Amino acid sequence: PSSSAGTTTPKPWPTYTTTPTDTSTDRSETNIPGGPLESCPGKIIANKTDSSSYGSVNIKVYYSEDNDRNCAVGTRFGWPSRTQGRLNVRLRFSDYEGTQWPEYAVVTSQPHTTQVGGLYLDDTYNRCVTASTTFTPFTGMDKVSVSTGAIGCN
């Protein structure tokens, strides 16, 4: 017999008019319903880079009044050509310790990706978020990470 104990009804999600990514070449893994956005609208509220002797990673966080949305884009650059690895971008409410959407958004892409974008959280007005990007090369080079502190708290 089936049981409905422990299940929750998800809240209805707004409809977005973004162009879907080509799933034949996209190998990203995400917990975002419907996948990440095609681009991040709004103004940049954080832009941070960290570097190693191998290469650099950058995180940008945008805020848009539409849906009170924070959106993040992670980029890796300056790495030796053909460096393969996993680029992970994470956006979360600062005061949340769990891993269930919508308090937490993550996208991991591999192996040739240089930019991952469109992670988003809605209803972020007056709530702190943190964002991070990590690039982990498959070649044994050290991973490089960058993260913001709490931002968008108003």
Side-chain angles (χ1 to χ4, degrees):
S2 64
S3 169
S4 61
T7 62
T8 59
T9 303
K11 79 175 196 178
W13 298 104
T15 302
Y16 301 115
T17 57
T18 58
T19 305
T21 56
D22 177 4
T23 55
S24 64
T25 57
D26 180 35
R27 298 182 186 176
S28 67
E29 298 172 22
T30 182
N31 68 334
I32 302 169
L37 301 175
E38 188 74 12
S39 62
C40 288
K43 63 180 180 178
I44 294 177
I45 61 170
N47 181 1
K48 194 169 179 185
T49 299
D50 204 356
S51 300
S52 74
S53 56
Y54 303 114
S56 302
V57 292
N58 173 268
I59 184 77
K60 286 187 177 81
V61 180
Y62 297 77
Y63 176 75
S64 171
E65 290 182 2
D66 291 341
N67 299 321
D68 290 325
R69 174 175 292 159
N70 281 124
C71 187
V73 176
T75 307
R76 70 173 176 101
F77 59 95
W79 295 81
S81 65
R82 300 186 185 175
T83 301
Q84 294 185 34
R86 184 169 290 114
L87 187 62
N88 177 280
V89 184
R90 180 181 303 253
L91 179 66
R92 68 183 301 143
F93 286 111
S94 301
D95 58 358
Y96 184 71
E97 295 301 320
T99 58
Q100 184 176 356
W101 177 269
E103 284 83 3
Y104 173 98
V106 62
V107 174
T108 300
S109 193
Q110 54 185 338
H112 295 286
T113 304
T114 57
Q115 187 172 74
V116 172
L119 289 78
Y120 67 94
L121 291 173
D122 288 341
D123 302 319
T124 59
Y125 181 76
N126 223 15
R127 290 189 68 186
C128 302
V129 297
T130 58
S132 64
T133 300
T134 301
F135 179 63
T136 307
F138 294 155
T139 59
M141 292 180 220
D142 292 337
K143 68 181 179 180
V144 177
S145 296
V146 63
S147 61
T148 67
I151 54 174
C153 307
N154 298 337

